[in-house]
């Protein structure tokens, strides 16, 4: 770990002057500590190994204002983003602020808590886990979120509770006069044997510029099963820097599917930590980018105990001038034997100006493990295109069908019907539209 | 229906000449068989007629119903009724047979000015065509050729032919890899599909296919040329004597192997 440096003030440090004192002491402590640490944590540069390929200028060369000073326009037609399966299990946040009127949680059993974090800040589970799981070293973004957040999603699943309907955490970002920043927060605590599906959406309703820095923390206790679908459909000018961290105990399962469609610059750093034996987790991703979009996924799968099974399929399609970065760290600690870990990053590069950087990074210190990993960057196979063309499809149609088929694999496991259908439509829309002309096979 | 005149073809990438002056005329209602040793250019000929972008025609022409089709894309040729059953059908993971066929059927129907079928009508239509190749409906939901056995792939090609109802079918070694029963089923299917308005060109190495489907003409291709043509008896002669006696025909012209 490098020594904290008192570095040049970055935009994050400057914005930190807007932090206000918290009314609540738990929150106050988090705020104070985050601020203190932020001031001694420097902003990343391309010289840092983990930030080598990412152009941070969209963040550093911009101005962002607190939501209250950005000239926010009212949210238009929020209902269109509600998923029907979550009619009575939905939390809505507009630019990071809890919206009671859009939220509805009346369909849940009384012991299950789905609500605004600000109202549950004194819940023992919040005291125990809030801000304790998203531990990202030398990371100003997590600290930035820690210094500002107040509202957020809080989901508490008591022992053996089974939430039948998926829980939707809907983050809407509205149009505004000036670019704003916001820090969504989510804490999910699944007690022993609990079972739930969580749909976390990030949706830009306008085409404006904003920066969202979501941090989410998942604690999956023994025998609990959590499915987590994360869709990101930010505005094409938005900055999205997210930190989803998950900790899994014995016999726990966590399966997550992250779909990245929007945003000008996206940096996602999912981290899954195995805290005991016999866990099973998935960290799949689908990235569809075009135009001048940049999507960077830096993931960590940390196997700390024996008998773990992990699966990571990260699929990317790049069109236009878009740029994808993938760095998949897999740690297998010394005493973690019998680990079965699968990682694959497949990139489909559909334009000559697109760019893909990919780097699997296995750090294995145990000897009895099965780790398969692979990364491919390819174009559509001309034999496939010819085959479909010989059956009457135009070249364009054949390419669309093949791209669609490539992307589909990653969303097949999403069991919430409306979300599954929505993503199919999004994939179709992506394959049939072009932000920039020019496609090569 | 198909007239190939003095066709010379090179591999676009490296310029190697593969077809060295092929002449072939196929009329409506006819069945032709093309035989010949490995590597003689049979598949190349079929792929060039279907419009494979890997090859470049340097000389000669391909007329389809009297019109030059060399400038047409593969899909435009398919719309005109050209169909190629691949020697090595391509696996297309993620695209089911049904998606492929619905898409193909509808675009071809549209280009011929026929009505598209609605999903229910299309299901009925497919069910009938499945019978022809003796396959169950589960065949439709499998990804195109993905994980199919060699024989299943060949059946799938004929199934696609049955659905698309082409005018000119180029069947490249459709008989290879089929077991005895499958060969009979597939051959019966081809016979049923063939009528007086369409033509079939079968590329094959074996007489056994021709026992089921009697060709009107048999051609022998050696070294990128058709060196001999005859009737069904030529195939029997080949079965008996091999190709060696014909190699002289190829080299007489100075271009054979
Ligand atoms: N794309 C290509 N690039 C390089 N060589 C090629 C290409 N296509 C065909 N050839 C060569 O051209 C020759 C003819 O190939 P083709 O596949 O047409 O033979 P064939 O008569 O179908 O043989 P078989 O009976 O084995 O199927 C072979 O020597 C082959 O290697
Ligand atoms: Mg061949």
């Amino acid at each position: 770990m490098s020594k904290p440096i008192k570095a040049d003030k970055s935009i994050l440090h400057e914005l930190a002057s807007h932090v206000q004192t918290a009314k609540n002491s738990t929150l106050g402590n988090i705020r104070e500590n985050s601020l203190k640490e932020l001031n001694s944590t420097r902003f990343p540069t391309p010289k840092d190994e983990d930030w080598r390929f990412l152009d941070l200028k969209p963040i550093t060369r911009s101005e962002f204002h607190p939501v209250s000073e950005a000239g926010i326009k009212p949210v238009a037609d929020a209902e269109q983003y509600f998923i029907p399966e979550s009619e009575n299990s939905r939390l809505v946040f507009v630019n990071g602020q809890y919206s009671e009127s859009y939220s509805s949680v009346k369909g849940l059993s009384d012991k299950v808590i789905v609500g605004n974090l600000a109202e549950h800040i004194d819940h023992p589970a919040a005291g125990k886990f809030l801000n304790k799981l998203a531990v990202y070293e030398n990371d100003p973004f997590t600290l930035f979120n820690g210094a500002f957040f107040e509202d957020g999603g809080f989901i508490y699943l008591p022992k053996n509770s089974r939430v039948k309907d998926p829980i939707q955490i809907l983050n809407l970002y509205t149009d505004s006069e000036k670019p704003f920043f916001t820090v969504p927060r989510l804490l999910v605590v699944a007690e022993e044997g609990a079972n739930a599906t969580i749909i976390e959406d990030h949706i830009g309703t306008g085409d404006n510029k904003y920066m969202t820095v979501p941090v989410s923390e998942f604690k999956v206790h023994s025998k609990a099963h959590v499915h987590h679908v994360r869709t990101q459909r930010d505005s094409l000018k938005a900055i999205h820097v997210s930190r989803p961290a998950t900790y899994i105990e014995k016999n726990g399962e966590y399966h997550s599917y992250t779909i990245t469609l929007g945003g000008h610059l996206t940096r996602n750093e999912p981290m899954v930590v195995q805290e005991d034996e016999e866990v099973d987790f998935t960290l799949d991703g689908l990235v569809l980018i075009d135009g001048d979009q940049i999507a960077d996924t830096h993931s960590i799968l940390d196997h700390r105990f024996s008998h773990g099974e992990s699966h990571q399929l990260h699929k990317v399609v790049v069109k236009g001038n878009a740029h994808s970065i993938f760095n998949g760290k897999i740690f297998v600690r010394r005493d973690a034997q019998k680990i079965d870990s699968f990682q694959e990053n497949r990139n489909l590069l559909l334009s000559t100006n697109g760019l893909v950087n990919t780097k699997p990074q296995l750090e294995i210190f145990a000897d009895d493990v099965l780790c398969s990993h692979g990364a491919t960057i390819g174009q559509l196979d001309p034999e496939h295109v010819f085959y479909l063309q010989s059956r009457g499809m135009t070249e364009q149609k054949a390419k669309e069908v093949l791209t669609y088929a490539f992307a589909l694999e990653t969303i097949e496991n999403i069991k919430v019907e409306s979300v599954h259908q929505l993503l199919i439509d999004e994939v179709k829309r992506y394959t049939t539209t072009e932000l920039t002309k020019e496609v090569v096979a | 229906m198909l007239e190939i005149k003095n066709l010379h073809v090179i591999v676009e990438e490296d310029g190697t000449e593969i077809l060295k002056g092929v002449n072939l005329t196929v009329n409506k209602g006819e069945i032709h068989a093309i035989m010949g040793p490995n590597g003689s250019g049979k598949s190349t000929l079929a792929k060039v007629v279907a419009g494979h972008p890997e090859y470049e025609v340097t000389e000669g022409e391909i007329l389809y119903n009297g019109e030059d089709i060399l400038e047409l894309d593969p899909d435009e040729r398919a719309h005109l009724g050209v169909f190629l059953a691949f020697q090595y059908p391509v696996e297309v993971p993620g695209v089911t047979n049904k998606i492929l066929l619905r898409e193909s059927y509808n675009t071809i129907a549209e280009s011929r000015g026929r009505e598209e079928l609605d999903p229910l009508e299309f299901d009925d239509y497919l069910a009938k065509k499945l019978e022809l190749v003796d396959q169950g409906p589960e065949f439709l939901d499998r990804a195109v050729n993905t994980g199919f056995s060699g024989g299943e792939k060949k059946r799938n090609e004929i199934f696609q032919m049955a659905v698309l109802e082409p005018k000119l079918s180029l069947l490249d070694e459709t008989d290879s890899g089929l077991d005895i029963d499958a060969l009979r089923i597939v051959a019966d299917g081809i016979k049923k599909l063939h009528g007086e308005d369409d033509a079939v060109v079968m590329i094959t190495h074996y007489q056994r296919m021709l026992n089921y489907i009697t060709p009107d003409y048999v051609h022998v291709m050696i070294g990128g040329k058709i060196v001999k043509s005859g009737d069904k008896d030529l195939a029997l002669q080949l079965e008996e004597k091999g190709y060696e006696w014909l190699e002289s025909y190829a080299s007489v012209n100075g271009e054979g192997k």
Side-chain angles (χ1 to χ4, degrees):
Chain A
M1 199 175 144
S2 64
K3 262 237 148 80
I5 315 161
K6 192 86 193 159
D8 290 348
K9 279 205 158 188
S10 77
I11 180 150
L12 297 185
H13 298 98
E14 278 165 21
L15 290 174
S17 64
H18 293 286
V19 172
Q20 290 164 5
T21 1
K23 287 168 232 121
N24 169 283
S25 68
T26 310
L27 203 57
N29 285 337
I30 292 174
R31 221 166 253 200
E32 204 176 304
N33 290 336
S34 298
L35 256 186
K36 206 159 69 192
E37 247 192 276
L38 177 62
N39 284 330
S40 59
T41 303
R42 66 175 175 78
F43 195 78
T45 76
K47 293 203 187 83
D48 298 315
E49 181 58 29
D50 279 333
W51 296 87
R52 215 149 62 98
F53 299 110
L54 186 62
D55 179 8
L56 285 163
K57 284 197 283 294
I59 301 179
T60 55
R61 298 218 178 140
S62 301
E63 47 162 296
F64 294 100
H65 303 270
V67 169
S68 57
E69 297 167 20
I72 295 296
K73 299 184 184 161
V75 52
D77 198 9
E79 291 80 4
Q80 64 178 300
Y81 306 109
F82 298 175
I83 60 174
E85 292 90 340
S86 304
E87 180 103 270
N88 297 309
S89 51
R90 176 183 63 242
L91 293 181
V92 181
F93 299 86
V94 178
N95 303 326
Q97 259 164 353
Y98 177 60
S99 163
E100 195 169 353
S101 55
Y102 288 138
S103 302
S104 163
V105 292
K106 56 180 186 283
L108 298 161
S109 88
D110 33 340
K111 299 232 179 62
V112 172
I113 301 172
V114 175
N116 184 7
L117 188 55
E119 286 159 29
H120 297 278
I121 194 82
D122 293 321
H123 190 285
K128 222 162 148 187
F129 300 112
L130 183 63
N131 216 41
K132 307 258 170 40
L133 305 179
V135 181
Y136 289 85
E137 277 182 23
N138 299 321
D139 176 42
F141 292 96
T142 318
L143 299 167
F144 184 73
N145 179 297
F148 276 103
F149 83 89
E150 182 149 359
D151 285 358
F154 177 66
I155 300 178
Y156 181 74
L157 308 164
K159 192 170 168 181
N160 294 327
S161 58
R162 285 175 177 266
V163 185
K164 190 167 82 308
D165 298 330
I167 300 165
Q168 184 183 20
I169 306 293
L170 176 58
N171 294 283
L172 294 176
Y173 306 102
T174 60
D175 206 357
S176 63
E177 272 153 32
K178 290 192 252 173
F180 62 85
F181 69 91
T182 174
V183 291
R185 191 84 187 196
L186 175 62
L187 174 64
V188 177
V189 178
E191 295 288 3
E192 186 180 330
N195 196 317
T197 294
I198 292 155
I199 314 288
E200 178 189 345
D201 291 315
H202 295 269
I203 299 171
T205 60
D207 58 0
N208 53 321
K209 181 163 188 171
Y210 57 86
M211 173 168 69
T212 179
V213 185
V215 169
S216 59
E217 296 173 294
F218 283 66
K219 173 75 183 182
V220 180
H221 282 99
S222 167
K223 296 188 196 122
H225 290 193
V226 175
H227 282 79
H228 181 196
V229 179
R230 202 170 178 284
T231 77
Q232 189 237 328
R233 294 188 278 150
D234 285 291
S235 106
L236 290 174
K237 294 195 188 112
I239 313 288
H240 182 118
V241 182
S242 56
R243 303 281 180 266
T246 301
Y247 287 67
I248 315 172
E249 299 216 336
K250 192 162 182 144
N251 292 308
E253 284 191 25
Y254 171 77
H255 302 288
S256 78
Y257 309 92
T258 299
I259 317 295
T260 305
L261 304 167
H264 169 47
L265 186 160
T266 303
R267 166 83 172 208
N268 185 26
E269 294 194 28
M271 165 169 78
V272 184
V273 179
Q274 180 192 356
E275 292 194 292
D276 203 335
E277 299 191 342
E278 307 284 353
V279 307
D280 186 348
F281 54 100
T282 307
L283 195 71
D284 284 356
L286 174 65
V287 175
L288 304 179
I289 47 177
D290 195 355
D292 62 354
Q293 288 184 277
I294 310 162
D296 178 347
T297 298
H298 268 65
S299 61
I300 297 175
L301 304 186
D302 192 353
H303 306 80
R304 295 186 181 171
F305 292 86
S306 295
H307 302 284
E309 214 176 290
S310 66
H311 182 279
Q312 181 177 31
L313 175 63
H314 189 77
K315 280 196 164 183
V316 178
V317 187
V318 169
K319 296 204 286 194
N321 300 312
H323 180 192
S324 165
I325 302 163
F326 176 72
N327 176 272
K329 294 191 181 71
I330 293 189
F331 295 115
V332 181
R333 308 282 169 155
R334 198 159 51 99
D335 296 322
Q337 303 295 354
K338 310 267 184 220
I339 294 296
D340 186 350
S341 174
F342 166 90
Q343 180 191 65
E344 192 171 286
N345 171 222
R346 289 180 60 197
N347 298 278
L348 183 56
L349 187 53
L350 292 180
S351 68
T352 40
N353 294 325
L355 180 63
V356 172
N357 299 114
T358 174
K359 182 179 162 200
Q361 190 178 336
L362 273 56
E363 303 197 11
I364 300 174
F365 303 100
D367 42 34
D368 187 9
V369 296
L370 195 68
C371 278
S372 76
H373 70 100
T376 57
I377 304 174
Q379 288 146 17
L380 293 174
D381 185 338
E383 283 304 315
H384 288 178
V385 177
F386 174 64
Y387 189 75
L388 297 184
Q389 271 192 282
S390 78
R391 299 306 182 244
M393 287 185 206
T394 61
E395 186 180 355
Q396 176 67 25
K397 184 76 203 177
K399 287 176 179 175
E400 282 168 23
V401 166
L402 291 167
T403 306
Y404 172 76
F406 173 87
L408 216 56
E409 190 185 351
T410 37
I411 56 180
E412 265 169 0
N413 292 316
I414 296 173
K415 300 294 179 218
V416 181
E417 190 43 45
S418 72
V419 178
H420 185 232
Q421 190 53 50
L422 176 114
L423 292 173
I424 287 177
D425 294 345
E426 284 290 331
V427 171
K428 278 199 185 133
R429 187 191 51 75
Y430 174 82
T431 58
T432 53
T433 54
E434 277 172 68
L435 292 181
T436 32
K437 289 273 163 259
E438 193 240 28
V439 175
V440 293
Chain B
M1 171 166 266
L2 178 70
E3 274 176 279
I4 298 175
K5 294 180 190 161
N6 189 31
L7 188 70
H8 288 255
V9 167
I10 60 170
V11 176
E12 188 156 71
E13 202 176 9
D14 60 9
T16 324
E17 186 166 63
I18 297 177
L19 300 184
K20 302 170 179 172
V22 174
N23 291 292
L24 178 69
T25 301
V26 178
N27 295 308
K28 249 178 18 180
E30 292 176 352
I31 296 179
H32 291 239
I34 300 179
M35 306 181 79
N38 295 130
S40 56
K42 305 180 297 297
S43 295
T44 304
L45 177 64
K47 286 195 267 185
V48 168
V49 174
H52 199 296
E54 206 164 52
Y55 303 101
E56 189 186 323
V57 174
T58 51
E59 217 184 311
E61 53 187 358
I62 302 179
L63 302 179
Y64 179 76
N65 293 332
E67 285 186 48
D68 182 354
I69 55 168
L70 282 180
E71 291 306 313
L72 299 184
D73 286 340
D75 49 306
E76 296 171 312
R77 300 184 197 198
H79 295 168
L80 293 177
V82 176
F83 178 85
L84 169 62
F86 285 56
Q87 181 176 0
Y88 305 108
V90 180
E91 301 198 359
V92 195
V95 180
T96 65
N97 264 334
K98 195 167 172 175
I99 291 175
L100 169 67
L101 288 170
R102 193 168 46 217
E103 201 63 59
S104 298
Y105 182 88
N106 285 335
T107 40
I108 291 177
E110 194 188 345
S111 76
R112 292 186 190 165
R114 272 206 314 241
E115 285 285 304
E116 290 190 3
L117 295 179
D118 72 34
L120 282 178
E121 289 170 332
F122 192 64
D123 283 348
D124 286 348
Y125 179 73
L126 287 182
K128 280 197 216 89
K129 301 294 183 181
L130 275 173
E131 277 172 30
L132 210 64
V133 286
D134 196 27
Q135 288 290 340
E138 65 285 348
F139 209 52
L140 298 173
D141 294 319
R142 290 180 66 180
V144 177
N145 297 327
T146 308
F148 282 28
S149 73
E152 283 173 333
K153 285 182 184 169
K154 296 301 173 75
R155 268 189 213 215
N156 200 20
E157 295 292 286
I158 297 308
F159 174 53
Q160 294 179 24
M161 172 183 162
V163 173
L164 302 180
E165 298 184 327
K167 296 270 170 262
L168 171 67
S169 302
L170 309 158
L171 311 180
D172 192 355
E173 294 198 27
T174 301
D175 54 336
S176 303
L178 292 176
D179 67 41
I180 299 161
D181 291 334
L183 180 69
R184 186 176 36 77
I185 292 165
V186 164
D188 280 347
I190 295 169
K191 268 203 293 202
K192 277 188 201 139
L193 291 170
H194 174 57
E196 54 189 32
D197 284 332
D198 69 273
V200 177
V201 177
M202 292 187 295
I203 295 169
T204 181
H205 286 294
Y206 307 106
Q207 172 61 33
R208 52 177 203 183
M209 181 72 154
L210 307 180
N211 289 338
Y212 290 104
I213 307 174
T214 314
D216 301 300
Y217 299 94
V218 174
H219 311 275
V220 182
M221 179 174 261
I222 297 178
K225 288 177 122 178
I226 288 179
V227 300
K228 191 166 177 58
S229 299
D231 61 11
K232 61 183 194 319
D233 293 336
L234 178 57
L236 294 169
Q237 253 178 306
L238 293 171
E239 186 95 331
E240 201 178 309
K241 299 200 277 189
Y243 293 112
E244 222 165 277
W245 62 288
L246 285 171
E247 308 244 329
S248 57
Y249 283 82
S251 44
V252 164
N253 298 310
E255 285 172 335
K257 279 203 171 171

